[in-house]
Amino acid sequence: MLGNFSYCNPTKLYFGEDSLKYLNAELPKYGKNIVLIYGGGSIKKNGIYDEVVKILKDNGKNVAEISGVMPNPTVDKLYEGVEIARNHQADFLLAVGGGSVCDYAKAVSVSVNCGEDPWEKYYVRFEEPSCETLPVGCVLTMVGTGSEMNAGAVITNPHTHQKIGHVFADEKIMPKFAVLNPKYTLTLPHYQMVSGIYDIFNHICEQYFSGEDDNVSDYLSEGLMRSVIHSSRIANRDPQNYEARSNLMWAATWALNTLVAKGKSTDWMVHMLGQAVGAYTDAAHGMTLAAVSLPYYRHILPFGVQKFKRFEVNVWDVDPAGKTDEQTAQEGLAAMEGWMKELGLVMNISQLGASAEMIGGIADSTLIMNGGYKTLNRDEIVEILKECL
Amino acid sequence: MLGNFSYCNPTKLYFGEDSLKYLNAELPKYGKNIVLIYGGGSIKKNGIYDEVVKILKDNGKNVAEISGVMPNPTVDKLYEGVEIARNHQADFLLAVGGGSVCDYAKAVSVSVNCGEDPWEKYYVRFEEPSCETLPVGCVLTMVGTGSEMNAGAVITNPHTHQKIGHVFADEKIMPKFAVLNPKYTLTLPHYQMVSGIYDIFNHICEQYFSGEDDNVSDYLSEGLMRSVIHSSRIANRDPQNYEARSNLMWAATWALNTLVAKGKSTDWMVHMLGQAVGAYTDAAHGMTLAAVSLPYYRHILPFGVQKFKRFEVNVWDVDPAGKTDEQTAQEGLAAMEGWMKELGLVMNISQLGASAEMIGGIADSTLIMNGGYKTLNRDEIVEILKECL
């Protein structure tokens, strides 16, 4: 059943080896005061920072900077960035980095003119902005989150051990444009690359494994998953393969820009579990998802056997002949496990720094969603997390 | 290889059984003078006209009408509509109908402030608008063309026997919004329904059958094709099945809103052949495509064997074991032929009113594209058209 929905995604994307030049087409649309936002400084080593700064200067912009945005951007970093953007009277926020930097820029965008504490308003009460927001543009250097074409922004509060994502309702929070140059992703360490790949794949799973759906979104999801599996195997063997890296970059965008969720319910419990692990360990996002996925999916499989069976046949090409539905469904997860190990993903949370003593706290930090095949209770979450150790 | 490209599709879509009410959210964004554009009057019989006019009145709009837009809108009808829009000092064009009505509205949009003959400028010289264009909104009542979320507009010149589509480059030509209510499509005669279904499917084929591609677009195309095949079989048996009709409506939008063409070459020769047949016969668009497809694909198959083989395996689920690549590829087209006959599509152009005497003229009217596996010459076009008789 394809339910009622609206769809609008106005982000303009510039994709390819020469895409940075299109900043020259976009920047004149916005005011003079730009805040350039980036992470730990890798863009200074690989030359992207210099290229971007030159284009900003050529366009006569007045630039302030927020640097040091961490992989899990904290609420304190958010407060700091809001101050910088306010003092600069920012007209535009330009994020150069991966999903964390893009997410952070969107969080600053909705907070600059917000009279309240943005953590309380957006991440505790989940309200929408009631103030003017700032336009955001992205130059993407890491692949995985899809943040370049959606209205989501994940922020971590280390004081309360919470890592929470807010997907804003208004498409004006989406980046106005994003520059996607696959070449920028070629220098990423293997660990980050495969972490991003699993993030892509799991975004699709979160939207696919829900409902007794039979709709366009599920067919598109299957196509995207097949594409990610195919390209990830090439990129894993040969990280310098531009074709594979460019396909992964494009698939990542479509895995989480709202399309494959349209007209159906969605799950998102792997993200809730993984984000709680991340709040305790500060581990790479994709690896937290990888480490909790299989125990979670095996736990919910009995409540969604038909979809897991379809997953095996349509995504993993396993022949269902002569098997029970349950066997077929289990084989899909076994095929997925084989692929995850082939990529070298982290398969348990102990390796990420989580311990048995943390389980209770992680379970308390796990938001419980109700769109999937089974709404978990706290005991089930503890049980699943123990299996993830 | 995923090439360089840009992507932007800002059309806002309202999908579902209650979607017409969102006109109330959109209309206040535009000026007072609206031109309501529709076709042969079926919207007056099924009540949609009355509903739309009431909403326009409730929003205080000043409405002029262009009615009688035909299935293949002519250049003379375009001139007539441009006059009406000019005299009304139109602020906004609201198309209520199928793809022809949406296409026509876009053609009026780019012509109202155009100082030159729009046929010469847009359909002979293929220029982009150098004037202000009018915003367009759509209420879709037929499924197939994808016109509700793209910048294409096909116009027919019966004087020169030419039916030509121009896909404008600027996303501002795309409809600002489209209302997609699957219920509106339930009353369509079976002939029109399956004609639209084949139009959807062929749009995907035109973008899929090209290049030695191995990219996200091809995987998305395979997912869309599988979805269309699945839902079309349900709709063919049970045209009142809302679920199947809604999936077809949504798949149609994504089959031709530029996504699945990104980063790759495209073919479009079935459309060029079919449109030339349409210019001579005024037949339903989807049926002209159905009638020329198989002779065309069998002609080009030797130049794209690997892709046709992939088509059979990934779209039609045929087992390639023990077959040559050529045999496997041929079986894909045989499976497609079986599905086309099951739907009751017109399988030759004679049934659409074309005769052997027309072949030369149709061949002369066929635009030759060069993005597919084989750039045809006139002799090949004549040969293919003879096989289509």
Side-chain angles (χ1 to χ4, degrees), chain A residues 225-286:
Chain A
M225 286 193 272
R226 293 175 68 91
S227 178
V228 171
I229 295 163
H230 174 81
S231 297
S232 69
R233 287 184 159 139
I234 299 171
N236 188 44
R237 288 193 303 270
D238 174 15
Q240 295 302 307
N241 188 301
Y242 178 85
E243 181 171 343
R245 301 299 290 271
S246 61
N247 280 315
L248 288 167
M249 192 170 216
W250 191 227
T253 300
W254 288 89
L256 195 57
N257 66 2
T258 81
L259 174 62
V260 298
K262 285 299 159 190
K264 58 171 299 189
S265 57
T266 54
D267 184 350
W268 293 107
M269 270 316 295
V270 169
H271 269 67
M272 295 307 107
L273 290 161
Q275 286 176 189
V277 171
Y280 271 77
T281 61
D282 202 30
H285 175 66

Side-chain angles (χ1 to χ4, degrees), chain B residues 230-284:
Chain B
H230 174 81
S231 297
S232 69
R233 286 183 160 140
I234 299 171
N236 187 45
R237 288 193 303 269
D238 174 16
Q240 295 302 306
N241 187 302
Y242 178 85
E243 180 171 345
R245 302 300 289 273
S246 61
N247 280 315
L248 288 166
M249 192 171 217
W250 191 227
T253 299
W254 289 90
L256 194 58
N257 67 1
T258 81
L259 174 62
V260 298
K262 285 300 159 189
K264 59 172 298 187
S265 58
T266 54
D267 184 351
W268 293 108
M269 271 315 296
V270 169
H271 268 68
M272 295 307 109
L273 289 160
Q275 286 176 187
V277 171
Y280 271 77
T281 62
D282 201 28

Side-chain angles (χ1 to χ4, degrees), chain B residues 35 47 64 70 81 128 138 144 181 189 209 245 254 314 331 339 383:
Chain B
V35 178
M70 54 290 274
E128 295 297 312
C138 295
N181 186 339
F209 286 120
R245 302 300 289 273
W254 289 90
N314 290 357
E331 279 195 32
W339 168 71
E383 187 189 321

Side-chain angles (χ1 to χ4, degrees), chain A residues 1-18 149 171 212-217 219-224 226-227 230-231 234 242-243 246-248 250-251 254 259 262 314 317, chain B residues 1-18 149 171 212-217 219-224 226-227 230-231 234 242-243 246-248 250-251 254 259 262 314 317:
Chain A
M1 179 70 183
L2 196 63
N4 301 338
F5 60 84
S6 66
Y7 175 92
C8 185
N9 196 323
T11 302
K12 184 148 192 167
L13 302 169
Y14 298 101
F15 191 97
E17 299 169 85
D18 63 351
M149 203 188 191
E171 61 259 17
E212 297 300 322
D213 304 307
D214 175 19
N215 63 36
V216 180
S217 294
Y219 284 97
L220 288 171
S221 286
E222 287 165 355
L224 273 179
R226 293 175 68 91
S227 178
H230 174 81
S231 297
I234 299 171
Y242 178 85
E243 181 171 343
S246 61
N247 280 315
L248 288 167
W250 191 227
W254 288 89
L259 174 62
K262 285 299 159 190
N314 290 358
D317 287 332
Chain B
M1 179 70 182
L2 196 64
N4 301 338
F5 60 85
S6 66
Y7 175 91
C8 185
N9 196 324
T11 302
K12 183 147 194 168
L13 301 170
Y14 297 102
F15 191 98
E17 298 169 87
D18 62 350
M149 204 189 188
E171 61 259 17
E212 296 301 321
D213 304 307
D214 175 17
N215 62 36
V216 180
S217 295
Y219 284 97
L220 288 171
S221 286
E222 286 165 356
L224 273 179
R226 292 176 68 92
S227 178
H230 174 81
S231 297
I234 299 171
Y242 178 85
E243 180 171 345
S246 61
N247 280 315
L248 288 166
W250 191 227
W254 289 90
L259 174 62
K262 285 300 159 189
N314 290 357
D317 287 331

Side-chain angles (χ1 to χ4, degrees), chain A residues 83-158:
Chain A
E83 274 308 295
I84 292 171
R86 281 180 185 159
N87 291 338
H88 193 57
Q89 295 185 289
D91 298 309
F92 190 78
L93 306 173
L94 183 62
V96 182
S100 300
V101 176
C102 294
D103 273 30
Y104 177 83
K106 285 180 266 181
V108 173
S109 160
V110 296
S111 303
V112 165
N113 298 310
C114 175
E116 304 159 74
D117 175 359
W119 174 261
E120 288 294 324
K121 183 176 175 70
Y122 300 129
Y123 295 92
V124 177
R125 301 199 305 270
F126 280 94
E127 292 173 13
E128 295 297 312
S130 39
C131 59
E132 278 298 300
T133 58
L134 287 183
V136 170
C138 296
V139 176
L140 200 66
T141 62
M142 275 176 69
V143 163
T145 71
S147 186
E148 64 276 14
M149 203 188 191
N150 67 38
V154 182
I155 293 293
T156 295
N157 188 333

Side-chain angles (χ1 to χ4, degrees), chain B residues 55-365:
Chain B
I55 293 173
L56 287 166
K57 280 193 183 157
D58 289 348
N59 282 275
K61 300 298 185 183
N62 175 25
V63 182
E65 294 193 7
I66 303 171
S67 63
V69 177
M70 54 290 274
N72 291 311
T74 64
V75 65
D76 298 310
K77 188 71 186 173
L78 173 60
Y79 299 143
E80 180 195 320
V82 168
E83 275 306 296
I84 292 171
R86 282 179 184 160
N87 291 338
H88 193 57
Q89 297 185 286
D91 298 308
F92 189 79
L93 307 173
L94 183 63
V96 182
S100 300
V101 175
C102 294
D103 273 30
Y104 176 84
K106 286 180 265 182
V108 172
S109 160
V110 296
S111 303
V112 165
N113 298 310
C114 176
E116 303 160 75
D117 176 358
W119 174 260
E120 288 294 325
K121 183 175 175 72
Y122 301 128
Y123 296 93
V124 177
R125 301 199 305 272
F126 281 94
E127 292 173 12
E128 295 297 312
S130 40
C131 60
E132 278 297 301
T133 59
L134 286 183
V136 170
C138 295
V139 176
L140 200 65
T141 62
M142 274 176 71
V143 162
T145 71
S147 186
E148 65 276 14
M149 204 189 188
N150 67 38
V154 182
I155 293 293
T156 295
N157 188 333
H159 313 298
T160 61
H161 283 306
Q162 287 174 297
K163 177 179 172 180
I164 296 177
H166 187 153
V167 180
F168 293 95
D170 194 331
E171 61 259 17
K172 79 177 174 193
I173 313 298
M174 294 176 178
K176 300 302 171 196
F177 65 85
V179 169
L180 277 63
N181 186 339
K183 278 196 166 175
Y184 293 168
T185 71
L186 294 176
T187 54
L188 207 65
H190 185 270
Y191 188 88
Q192 260 77 39
M193 178 186 79
V194 296
S195 176
I197 288 169
Y198 191 73
D199 194 19
I200 306 170
F201 190 82
N202 189 258
H203 287 156
I204 312 170
C205 291
E206 299 275 28
Q207 297 166 92
Y208 182 74
F209 286 120
S210 61
E212 296 301 321
D213 304 307
D214 175 17
N215 62 36
V216 180
S217 295
D218 289 333
Y219 284 97
L220 288 171
S221 286
E222 286 165 356
L224 273 179
M225 286 193 274
R226 292 176 68 92
S227 178
V228 171
I229 295 163
H230 174 81
S231 297
S232 69
R233 286 183 160 140
I234 299 171
N236 187 45
R237 288 193 303 269
D238 174 16
Q240 295 302 306
N241 187 302
Y242 178 85
E243 180 171 345
R245 302 300 289 273
S246 61
N247 280 315
L248 288 166
M249 192 171 217
W250 191 227
T253 299
W254 289 90
L256 194 58
N257 67 1
T258 81
L259 174 62
V260 298
K262 285 300 159 189
K264 59 172 298 187
S265 58
T266 54
D267 184 351
W268 293 108
M269 271 315 296
V270 169
H271 268 68
M272 295 307 109
L273 289 160
Q275 286 176 187
V277 171
Y280 271 77
T281 62
D282 201 28
H285 175 67
M287 292 305 190
T288 66
L289 306 177
V292 303
S293 283
L294 287 166
Y296 172 70
Y297 286 130
R298 291 195 168 115
H299 187 88
I300 64 162
L301 184 145
F303 305 93
V305 170
Q306 289 309 316
K307 195 60 158 289
F308 281 95
K309 182 186 171 187
R310 178 174 164 169
F311 177 64
E312 191 215 24
V313 175
N314 290 357
V315 178
W316 296 100
D317 287 331
V318 182
D319 186 355
K323 295 166 199 159
T324 66
D325 287 353
E326 176 96 13
Q327 284 170 332
T328 307
Q330 288 285 3
E331 279 195 32
L333 291 183
M336 178 171 149
E337 183 171 8
W339 168 71
M340 291 170 77
K341 288 180 174 169
E342 182 187 330
L343 292 188
L345 293 166
V346 175
M347 302 300 283
N348 61 67
I349 62 174
S350 313
Q351 272 183 267
L352 299 173
S355 63
E357 295 69 44
M358 290 181 190
I359 295 286
I362 295 173
D364 291 335
S365 287

